[in-house]
Amino acid sequence: MATTTDLGLPGALPDRDRLALRRWLMASIIAVFFAVAVGGITRLTESGLSITEWKPVSGALPPSDDAAWALELEKFRQIPQASSTHAGITMSEFKWIYWWEWFHRNVARTVGLVFAIPYLVFLVQGRLPKSLRVRLAALPLLTAGQGALGWYMVQSGLVERVSVSSYRLTAHLGLALGILAVAVWTYSELRARSDAELREASQTSHGWRTALVAATTLLGITVLSGGFVAGLRGGKVFNEFPLMGGQVVPPGYGMLSPWWSNAFENPAAAQFHHRLLAMTVTALVLALAWRARQGALPQMVQRAVFGFATVITLQLVLGITTLLLAVPIPLGVLHQFTGVLALTAALIATQRAVATTAATRAATLPPDRVSPPAWPAPSQR
């Protein structure tokens, strides 16, 4: 078979393999969403520092008796957070936060297995297209790196700080988003094209593809800026909208030196930037959705753009509500969850824009003249 430009095109790979890979990737995506949600709960309940050691294997088991629980509590009482945020903590209170962190770490272990075991099975069975072997190998490898990065983050709150570093927290979030992006893009790429889609003459223009890439990139930056807001507890200040402290630019915006550190270490500045980015990317996506109503877009791209606009609007409304209510735990977790959902919608819309171009090209050129794109580089096995 000739090399095609999209794995969803007929003949790119056997339908049985495509379906199996999509099922695995969907399970992986769900696992990542669940891990992000549990991580949000762990952060908002101040549970993340309750386990002060990293034991990748033996740590999967909780304390077995009262003596083991007492030892864990004693270890926790040695860190700064125990005498500040959790001052006077009792054993029952400690168990509550311990169980959340223990659950969070075991969810992360499970995600790693969900990525690694099926990948190895598909690889051994020879059911992975050559072009996907390296890309999908990144999923279990990055998840292992995510565990190490998570511990590196926790370490920042065990000695001098009462919370983890916002830099490390945002890096932890960023790696999770990278893992999700690989899984979502590949899942969307493996979607079989219908006969109607293959017959559709229109393709997504270069301008539309550029606009969707820009919107997706801006949204990714916005979500990452939320990591700094979370790490600095920035959602607990200026719980008003649209002004902050009665001003457009909040009081104390540039109080730190050097000036650039305000974006990453000043809660007021971090929240201001997150607001500005969120409103900008929402306005951009809504403008794209409006243009898509009359634009010459393939139907599957048009629907994806409308879905993107719907989710990001929901995310903005939810973010404002969460802020005005001073970040209650359920809304805080839901806001984080929908942020990841919005990024997923953005990736699907962008991938479909690329796919329609590939499908049109494949439909109009002889099989031996269809050339592969630079990335992602799908091919038959």
Side-chain angles (χ1 to χ4, degrees):
M1 288 185 291
T3 299
T4 64
T5 56
D6 189 90
L7 287 175
L9 296 177
L13 73 163
D15 289 341
R16 174 173 170 269
D17 290 357
R18 178 188 292 110
L19 181 60
L21 288 169
R22 277 174 59 84
R23 286 174 175 170
W24 165 47
L25 289 170
M26 174 53 71
S28 301
I29 292 166
I30 292 172
V32 172
F33 267 82
F34 187 64
V36 168
V38 173
I41 296 172
T42 303
R43 176 181 57 79
L44 290 168
T45 56
E46 301 287 356
S47 303
L49 299 179
S50 58
I51 301 179
T52 59
E53 296 176 316
W54 188 38
K55 299 177 180 178
V57 179
S58 61
L61 299 176
S64 56
D65 53 34
D66 290 345
W69 276 110
L71 179 60
E72 292 299 320
L73 176 56
E74 183 58 30
K75 292 176 183 177
F76 176 68
R77 284 175 172 161
Q78 304 305 311
I79 71 172
Q81 192 187 76
S83 58
S84 56
T85 308
H86 295 292
I89 190 170
T90 64
M91 176 59 78
S92 61
E93 292 169 338
F94 173 70
K95 286 184 177 181
W96 169 252
I97 63 173
Y98 186 97
W99 281 120
W100 271 119
E101 175 61 7
W102 178 86
F103 185 53
H104 181 207
R105 294 191 186 193
N106 278 284
V107 166
R109 291 182 176 96
T110 303
V111 172
L113 294 176
V114 169
F115 279 130
I117 294 176
Y119 175 81
L120 292 175
V121 171
F122 284 127
L123 186 63
V124 170
Q125 292 178 343
R127 299 175 68 185
L128 283 176
K130 290 181 180 179
S131 63
L132 291 184
R133 291 175 188 174
V134 173
R135 190 202 305 181
L136 293 181
L139 295 175
L141 293 176
L142 289 177
T143 303
Q146 179 75 327
L149 182 57
W151 172 242
Y152 180 63
M153 175 186 70
V154 169
Q155 279 185 314
S156 67
L158 297 180
V159 182
E160 298 178 353
R161 302 171 56 94
V162 297
S163 62
V164 299
S165 163
S166 60
Y167 292 97
R168 299 186 191 186
L169 174 66
T170 304
H172 190 54
L173 172 63
L175 185 53
L177 297 180
I179 293 168
L180 180 71
V182 173
V184 168
W185 186 281
T186 309
Y187 175 82
S188 181
E189 189 177 35
L190 287 165
R191 187 181 68 88
R193 309 294 175 255
S194 67
D195 291 340
E197 290 170 354
L198 293 173
R199 287 195 301 268
E200 195 169 15
S202 61
Q203 67 177 23
T204 307
S205 68
H206 176 74
W208 267 102
R209 295 198 305 272
T210 301
L212 286 170
V213 169
T216 301
T217 302
L218 184 58
L219 177 59
I221 294 171
T222 304
V223 176
L224 289 177
S225 75
F228 285 102
V229 176
L232 297 169
R233 307 299 188 264
K236 298 291 187 179
V237 299
F238 298 110
N239 299 110
E240 54 191 291
F241 188 86
L243 300 179
M244 300 178 69
Q247 303 175 193
V248 174
V249 179
Y253 172 80
M255 62 185 295
L256 300 182
S257 182
W259 63 268
W260 56 263
S261 64
N262 285 277
F264 312 110
E265 300 174 18
N266 182 342
Q271 188 196 126
F272 176 73
H273 294 157
H274 187 57
R275 287 184 181 210
L276 187 61
L277 285 166
M279 290 186 289
T280 301
V281 70
T282 301
L284 172 59
V285 176
L286 289 178
L288 290 176
W290 179 261
R291 290 292 302 274
R293 294 170 64 251
Q294 300 175 336
L297 280 177
Q299 285 191 357
M300 75 170 186
V301 179
Q302 187 183 59
R303 289 195 297 266
V305 171
F306 290 158
F308 184 14
T310 300
V311 177
I312 202 167
T313 301
L314 173 64
Q315 170 69 349
L316 181 65
V317 172
L318 185 59
I320 294 172
T321 305
T322 303
L323 175 68
L324 294 176
L325 296 177
V327 198
I329 292 175
L331 280 181
V333 174
L334 186 58
H335 180 56
Q336 181 169 309
F337 183 89
T338 53
V340 178
L341 184 62
L343 184 60
T344 299
L347 288 164
I348 290 175
T350 305
Q351 193 284 321
R352 288 189 178 183
V354 173
T356 56
T357 303
T360 302
R361 194 175 295 149
T364 56
L365 293 178
D368 60 349
R369 292 183 59 197
V370 177
S371 59
W375 191 92
S379 65
Q380 90 279 4
R381 292 184 300 173

